[in-house]
Amino acid sequence: MRYLFHCLFLFCSTNLVSAQTDDHVYFTNGFKLGELTDSSVMIWTRLCRAPSAVPIYHQQKPSTFRHPLDFDNDMPVDQMDGAVPGAFGQLQIQLTATDTIILSNWEYVSAYCDYTFKQYIGGLLPSTEFQVEIRGRKREGAPVSTITGAFTTSPAQDEIVPVVFTSSTCQYFWSYDDPVRGFRLYDSMLDLAPDFHCQTGDYIYYDKPGPMAYTIELARHKWHAMNSWPSLREFYLTTPLYIQKDDHDLLRDDASPYSQAFGELSFSDGWRIWKEQTPIAENSFRTFRWGRDLQIWLVEGREFRSNNRSVDGPDKSIWGEEQKSWFRQSVMASDASFKLLISPTPVVGPDRNNKSDNHANSSFATEGAWLREFLVANNMFVINGDRHWQYVARDPVTGLMEFSQGPSSDVHAQGWDPKDLRPEHQFLRVAGGFLATSIFRENGQPVIEFIHYDVAGRVVHRERIEKDW
């Protein structure tokens, strides 16, 4: 009901897509398998009017970020590069395992929710492979379109199994590095067949051209265009996703509840669109267990934060008291061999002196010091997004280790001088790529490896840590 209310709010703020003339519907934006546990999954998809997106016809500016040249922000949205108009119709989901078939009822999608659909499915068994088939039709008796994929539920909490997952961040539509596939790193990650993927925010950029997302309609277009890239669509058909939001896929740079509207788009609009376009449930901070040896925590860094510009002190927070209390209690209750904080923003850094919105900045020094000390006391590591360069850093005070994934393409890399190697840096590379994290046992001993890759899937750095606590 709350999700429908969000959709109604958004619908009242934008125009209906014009009526369809084709009798087919399509899955041009693919589907996503979210919030996977050992007994449940959240499935997201969207019905579309055309089998493919509007082709790319603007040229990229030959510079960092590759903004489109001569782009008219006021052109009709359905004519923009990557546009994917939605379609009214019905959906049905079928999950099939060796001895199980789960079949949902046909459900209508709605323009109120941008023709998106989310379905929570519980009652699943751990470590069980499911085939997924989603069917779509305009109405009963109309032609049926299908899209298929697969996933395996996470292992039970006491099960000792190896786990490999990937993580990435910072992908601007116009920073694509393959004009046909979109982003090369998705194909490189798919080659590793990860158990799941963590996307740590800035999935899209409302405040970069092509278009600038000054309205709800333009903001939704950013999601449609990104999800239409073939490399993303194919990756998520078989790779469960845990997604977080950061400033650019919520409103604009350094966004907080105190931010002014971006054109007509408000902070609340951005929050509701994010809920609509992603496969998550209600709570934006959550934790997931993957067998005996791994637990991850995904935190929320935008909804509950203090004003970035306020004076630092014990009451200034990025997470807010409710989230901090939950984090402390859930971390201390965990007996996983390895505990990982997945953060949309840095905790260790080092970061640039002109930044003021993360725990590596002096503007949140008090909470940052507390967090680093708590993480080390509980033998945790940090995987962070938001920075446009890859690094491994060790905090000089606490020894906390942080692993920055880097941006999703080389042309999106910027913001740090590659010659500026600080004492904190164990590894530094100002280029695009992703992180793969592998947890396994060797001679009965839990081991974790953090492996940085470039966008082509070549290993550029590896850190191996054996559990000794």
Side-chain angles (χ1 to χ4, degrees), residues 168-171 197-203 236 241-244:
S168 66
T169 191
C170 298
Q171 55 186 38
H197 179 69
C198 292
Q199 207 288 330
T200 59
D202 295 339
Y203 187 87
Y236 288 121
L241 168 66
Y242 302 115
I243 190 169
Q244 296 168 288

Side-chain angles (χ1 to χ4, degrees), residues 26 39 42 45 53 126 149 176 215 230 260 344:
Y26 304 92
S39 62
M42 178 74 76
T45 191
Y176 66 84
T215 66
Q260 295 182 346

